[in-house]
Amino acid sequence: MNEQLKAFAVAGGLNEEEIAKILGFIGRDPTIAEIAAFSAMWNEHVSYKSSRKYLKTFPTRGPRVLVGPGENAGVVDVGDGWAISFKMESHNHPSYIEPFQGAATGVGGILRDIFTMGARPIANMDSLRFGSLSHPRTRYLVNGVVAGISYYGNCMGVPTIGGELVFDPTYDGNCLINVFTLGVVKADGVFYGKAAGVGNPVIYMGPATGRDGMGGASMASAAFDEKAAEKRPTVQVGDAFCEKVVLECTLELMKSGLVLGIQDMGAAGLTCSTFEMADRAKMGMKVDLSKVPQRAANMTPQEILLSESQERMLLVCERGNEEGVLEICRKWDIPGAVIGEVTDTRQMEMWFNGEKVVDLPINLLTDEAPLYDRPWAEPAGLAERWKVPAFTVGDLKDEFLGLIDDPSFRSKAPVFQKYDHMVQLRTVVRPGDGDAAVMRLLETGTNRGVAMTSDGNSPACWLHPYNGAFNIIAEACLNLACVGARGIALTDCLNFGNPERPDVMWEFKEVVAGLSEACIAFDTPVTGGNVSFYNETAGTSIQPTPVVGVVGLVEDCDRVAGTFFTREDEAIVLLGCEDFSFDASLYARLKTGKVCGFVRKADAKRHSALCELIVRGIEKGIVTAAHDVSEGGLLWAIAESVVGNGVGATLDNVGTEPAELFGEAPSMAFVTVPEADLSCLTLMAEELGVQAVRIGTTGGDTLNVKGAFTVPVADLTAASRKPL
């Protein structure tokens, strides 16, 4: 390989070993366009070359799973002939470089993944993690990311109904922007990204291809350094109004029966869509790159292949139906062009201005992509992390007020109010009102709904990746239960540092193992997801941050619960484990200035029983509010339930030891029930083997911890409304 080709290959992210492998496969020097294709398909972001070995261990099947990993998004049956399609993706690197467009195109990309399956998107959630509020770049990133998400979701008419907002120094150099999207599709109307049928035309649909987003996938597979800002041209530029039209055009094409297979052009652009569609069908493809609509002058074949211009689709139809497809495109004023055809050669052949520039076996870029078994090693000093340094507890009221002064307690309303969360008129539980969001499944003709939650816990996964990951899914299932839903499946977004570091690979391996066990324990198979490596700047990696998006079913949307106390004089009942500890708690972190303590794994049997109890209580109409006890401990969670509606509480049956008030433990929640229904709840708890203890009563304008202190609800509300 000459030096020019080699330099191009290295710039595209290929290493010496991979270059040698390519030469060995094809037995000749590749063209520049072929190098472009290899660099796109073999990068970490597309090939999962460091993670595939472990991802195969996920449980992916279940009675409701219609489509699992490998397609654009998973699909799960929800009954009455309908299904939901959902997926979680990251756009971390682009959002750090250019927050508005990075976040906007992250939303646009995952929306395309959903409607490519034939589903109409009905909900977005975002899981956002930024550096500390004191970091000079944090507010700039927050403002840009929130504006980008708002712009794209609002223009598309898809509500953003919840998510997470976390500030932590581990993300000072790498913000995490994970988006979780769900759509509704007929169970027998799912589309697949396959290029089937010899001689069938391959059609490009969408805006013309430009030079924006060049090398975006490769950029996502590299760590940052002080020159990160120079990568701005790799960030895609989105047009949400255009994608709205593309969405409607795509769904009409599907309804028309003219489309056989379809794939969006996301990471790696046209390269990925052509190779993956042909590979899924075990077919080949001939493509004339000269026929690809281009908006930039004098584009080269490699630029056309690597461009990640947004809002573009690739589809295959029956031969003879080309004009019907193009006519619908013209109706929606969407450019369309026949650029190739399907073959049975299992070869990708591409021409440009009459010259063949790509001639490669498709499996070389898919099945034969590198698969690394990277070395892993437990990080040094892990046991030291589990020790909680001694600290002095002060006045309990002062300690409580200091705890809720943390930004985590503050209302996220200034963020989610920028999103339209009521468009489509499906939203039952709105952002901030419950532990999960609930949307009506209007298509089913029933009162059934789907619940969604996104959850992560990087401190717990840094302390104990296996147990921490297990508990994330446990908490997500409990969050669903607290609105009245039973979890049925999940997607994930696994955010980690540099996989070439043995400690990072150990974290990844342990997290995947913990997630896998939890998926089996809670019957929530994985239907797809995303791995984001190289979240590292100047040699410093983020803490391991797996995020899960879990979906559940609500049988009756008129029987749901929220977080906030709604009525006076109702019993507050603590459910589940009461083994409080400062281990891995926010309180200990604030007192000692470090993440510390041992993470205990939730007991799956007890946890499942707790979830079932809460759901049954909500379905019977006796549970009026429900909230899990997690970050910040019991008193923190009670305070969160108080501030929503201004209904106070008196806690007259809780301990006054700091660990009981501020400590944390898995598998705990509290509910409110009318006095007349307390015995019914108690009986159900006994039947399920769940510990249930009445700890207080709702009402008044204070939070009164008897024997300890009293805080006016107005003061708690003010603390929650402090600006972020």
Side-chain angles (χ1 to χ4, degrees), residues 311-330:
E311 295 88 37
R312 302 178 301 157
M313 312 290 285
L314 193 72
L315 57 91
V316 172
C317 70
E318 288 275 4
R319 184 163 46 185
N321 287 338
E322 303 93 317
E323 186 54 35
V325 170
L326 295 176
E327 180 58 33
I328 292 174
C329 289
R330 285 192 288 270

Side-chain angles (χ1 to χ4, degrees), residues 599-670:
V599 178
R600 291 168 291 163
K601 189 177 75 170
D603 181 286
K605 184 178 180 180
R606 292 170 59 190
H607 194 87
S608 296
L610 169 64
C611 292
E612 183 62 20
L613 172 62
I614 296 171
V615 172
R616 290 185 189 182
I618 294 171
E619 289 178 340
K620 285 181 176 292
I622 64 174
V623 169
T624 57
H627 190 23
D628 74 315
V629 179
S630 53
E631 184 180 58
L634 174 62
L635 207 54
W636 172 294
I638 293 286
E640 287 182 319
S641 292
V642 162
V643 299
N645 294 320
V647 177
T650 297
L651 304 181
D652 54 13
N653 190 29
V654 297
T656 56
E657 292 297 318
E660 296 176 89
L661 298 177
F662 312 132
E664 298 175 24
S667 309
M668 283 195 298
F670 58 81

